Amino acid sequence: MISEFRSRFRSLSGSRFRFRHLWLGLVGVSLVVLVVLEGLNAPHPPMAAATMVSGVLCLAALAVPERLFARYAIGAAAVSCALTLVEAQLSQRPPNTPGLVELGVLLLLITRAVRRCPPLRAAGLAAGSTLAAVVLPLRIEERNSNLLNLIAVIAVCAVPFMVMVGLCLRLYDTLREREREAIRQGQRLEHARELHDFVAHHVTAIVAQTKAARFTAAAGHPQSPEDLDRMLAQIERAGSQALGSMRAMVSSLRDHTTASATTRPTGDPAGLRGLRDLTEEFSEVGPPAELTLAPELADRPLPPGILTTVHRVVQESLTNVRKHATGVGRVEVRIGVRPGAPEQLEVSVVDDGQGGASPAAERSVEGSGYGLVGLAERVEKVNGRITTGPRDGGGWHVVAVLPLNKANRADSANKANTADSAYAPTLGKVAPNVASSG
């Protein structure tokens, strides 16, 4: 069904593209016909041919690609000025029109130069087109006050107006490019967070299990075939999960529309109870982790954005314990309503490692690591806050406070997890709302 929709969308886009080119072609042909008709108004065939060539050259300068625009614009303005100077010296000149199509195109060249070219080049091209447009009325036969008024209107009104239009379009293009870059940056940050959350968690488990096997072998303790098979099975499972997450991420990068659902979940399908599998998996290869869920959350539905954030907070905290903590005997994961604030959810992950945090963990808080940075960005999306730091009695704690009474904002944040467009300008900030406490 998705493939059929995409094929129909592409066919519709192709039809619109062909219609647009057909419409532009018809407009171009119409303008060329008008230029020819204005050229026929000249009293002599050479003058008529020169008028047609000048008008067509101006049309070509307006239609050429960006890399050729400056060259064609300079040539068109020079030819137009030269033709005007020559015709102004002749005794017989066009009685009616000096070339209104050419005049309009010269004004449009001013707008395009101001919009697309660098400032110095834009000033030069606009000056040349302005000169050609201002003196162009001198081609007509009559010389009276109306001619001077027309020149004054072009110089005082038309040219400044086209310059302002070009500046407005230039500003619009700049803002639109900044918005696109912010969206792209948000998408890059989202992919980085997903890659860290899904892959680093499994890779850390593989490294921890491998280190445990090497330590046991170096200590001279023989391992039974059952123990080796169990350890290798855990490594195989973690590796398979990492490969699956990597494959889903690659699929998302190649085809965002069909694979985003696999790499950006909108919430834990089992709710908060699904965290028990995560803590049990952690306990298999590390210190025991105890999960405590408040009874009042058992029947309370939570927004998908809050569920996803809770899962990521616990996952990243357990990963950091496995990677950085030393001498940990127990890890406590507690999720419940914050005391004194019934509309706030508190997620706490605490370990009892001796001697405080390791230097690696301290560096991650200072900004060298990306796990807590991405975690803080996720928490900020749902209008929460996160606090990390060493405990007074030893060990490390991570506490995230998330709102429960702002479901709409949480849902919007969850949509931002999948599209990263609504909150893209804020994604470039590094580790907002991260506080370190002793």
Side-chain angles (χ1 to χ4, degrees), residues 104-160:
V105 173
L106 287 172
L107 294 175
L108 291 176
L109 289 179
I110 297 174
T111 300
R112 183 178 181 182
V114 174
R115 180 183 184 181
R116 298 296 188 185
C117 298
L120 292 179
R121 181 180 297 180
L125 296 177
S129 299
T130 298
L131 178 62
V134 170
V135 300
L136 190 141
L138 296 177
R139 296 180 186 178
I140 61 178
E141 186 175 9
E142 296 184 3
R143 299 292 176 86
N144 50 34
S145 59
N146 292 331
L147 177 64
L148 296 179
N149 291 335
L150 177 60
I151 294 177
V153 169
I154 295 174
V156 177
C157 298
V159 171

Side-chain angles (χ1 to χ4, degrees), residues 45-185:
M47 186 184 301
T51 302
M52 296 177 190
V53 171
S54 178
V56 172
L57 184 59
C58 290
L59 288 174
L62 187 63
V64 295
E66 294 294 332
R67 57 187 179 87
L68 301 176
F69 172 69
R71 188 184 310 170
Y72 274 74
I74 293 175
V79 171
S80 179
C81 287
L83 179 61
T84 300
L85 293 178
V86 171
E87 289 191 11
Q89 306 301 322
L90 299 177
S91 58
Q92 292 184 345
R93 295 184 296 274
N96 298 322
T97 171
L100 294 181
V101 175
E102 183 177 342
L103 174 61
V105 173
L106 287 172
L107 294 175
L108 291 176
L109 289 179
I110 297 174
T111 300
R112 183 178 181 182
V114 174
R115 180 183 184 181
R116 298 296 188 185
C117 298
L120 292 179
R121 181 180 297 180
L125 296 177
S129 299
T130 298
L131 178 62
V134 170
V135 300
L136 190 141
L138 296 177
R139 296 180 186 178
I140 61 178
E141 186 175 9
E142 296 184 3
R143 299 292 176 86
N144 50 34
S145 59
N146 292 331
L147 177 64
L148 296 179
N149 291 335
L150 177 60
I151 294 177
V153 169
I154 295 174
V156 177
C157 298
V159 171
F161 176 76
M162 301 308 290
V163 171
M164 290 300 299
V165 171
L167 291 175
C168 292
L169 293 176
R170 187 185 187 96
L171 178 60
Y172 171 77
D173 293 339
T174 301
L175 295 178
R176 185 173 61 176
E177 181 59 29
R178 288 179 181 177
E179 182 181 2
R180 290 178 178 175
E181 180 59 30
I183 293 175
R184 288 193 292 265
Q185 176 67 10

Side-chain angles (χ1 to χ4, degrees), residues 157-421:
C157 298
V159 171
F161 176 76
M162 301 308 290
V163 171
M164 290 300 299
V165 171
L167 291 175
C168 292
L169 293 176
R170 187 185 187 96
L171 178 60
Y172 171 77
D173 293 339
T174 301
L175 295 178
R176 185 173 61 176
E177 181 59 29
R178 288 179 181 177
E179 182 181 2
R180 290 178 178 175
E181 180 59 30
I183 293 175
R184 288 193 292 265
Q185 176 67 10
Q187 292 174 343
R188 288 192 292 266
L189 290 175
E190 179 65 20
H191 286 309
R193 287 193 294 267
E194 296 293 340
L195 186 63
H196 183 278
D197 291 343
F198 283 111
V199 179
H201 178 73
H202 302 309
V203 173
T204 302
I206 295 174
V207 173
Q209 293 165 5
T210 306
K211 286 183 177 180
R214 293 185 61 190
F215 177 79
T216 304
H221 300 292
Q223 294 184 353
S224 63
E226 292 78 8
D227 293 337
L228 288 176
D229 182 73
R230 178 179 55 82
M231 186 172 297
L232 292 176
Q234 293 173 350
I235 295 177
E236 180 183 6
R237 183 173 67 254
S240 299
Q241 292 173 346
L243 287 176
S245 299
M246 182 69 72
R247 187 180 299 109
M249 178 62 66
V250 173
S251 300
S252 175
L253 294 175
R254 293 177 63 89
D255 190 357
H256 184 275
T257 57
T258 60
S260 61
T262 61
T263 58
R264 292 185 175 95
T266 58
D268 184 11
L272 295 178
R273 294 185 301 274
L275 295 173
R276 196 167 303 279
D277 295 336
L278 184 63
T279 55
E280 291 177 354
E281 178 185 351
F282 174 84
S283 301
E284 291 179 359
V285 294
E290 179 182 352
L291 175 63
T292 304
L293 294 176
E296 59 269 20
L297 297 177
D299 299 326
R300 181 170 186 173
L302 298 180
I306 296 295
L307 286 175
T308 301
T309 304
V310 171
H311 191 277
R312 293 295 183 268
V313 170
V314 176
Q315 185 182 53
E316 175 61 22
S317 301
L318 294 179
T319 300
N320 284 339
V321 171
R322 181 182 291 155
K323 290 170 59 177
H324 305 306
T326 58
V328 178
R330 184 180 180 183
V331 179
E332 295 182 0
V333 180
R334 297 182 179 179
I335 302 174
V337 176
R338 186 174 177 84
E343 295 302 328
Q344 290 184 344
L345 179 68
E346 183 176 270
V347 183
S348 173
V349 182
V350 180
D351 66 75
D352 60 352
Q354 300 299 321
S358 65
E362 293 176 358
R363 287 195 300 269
S364 68
V365 175
E366 294 170 359
S368 299
Y370 297 105
L372 290 179
V373 173
L375 191 61
E377 292 170 347
R378 288 187 183 278
V379 172
E380 187 191 61
K381 281 186 177 182
V382 294
N383 199 36
R385 63 181 186 275
I386 184 171
T387 302
T388 65
R391 301 171 60 199
D392 293 335
W396 192 265
H397 76 274
V398 176
V399 179
V401 179
L402 310 175
L404 291 177
N405 59 340
K406 297 181 180 180
N408 292 335
R409 183 173 302 220
D411 290 336
S412 300
N414 178 62
K415 294 179 181 178
N417 280 336
T418 59
D420 262 342
S421 59

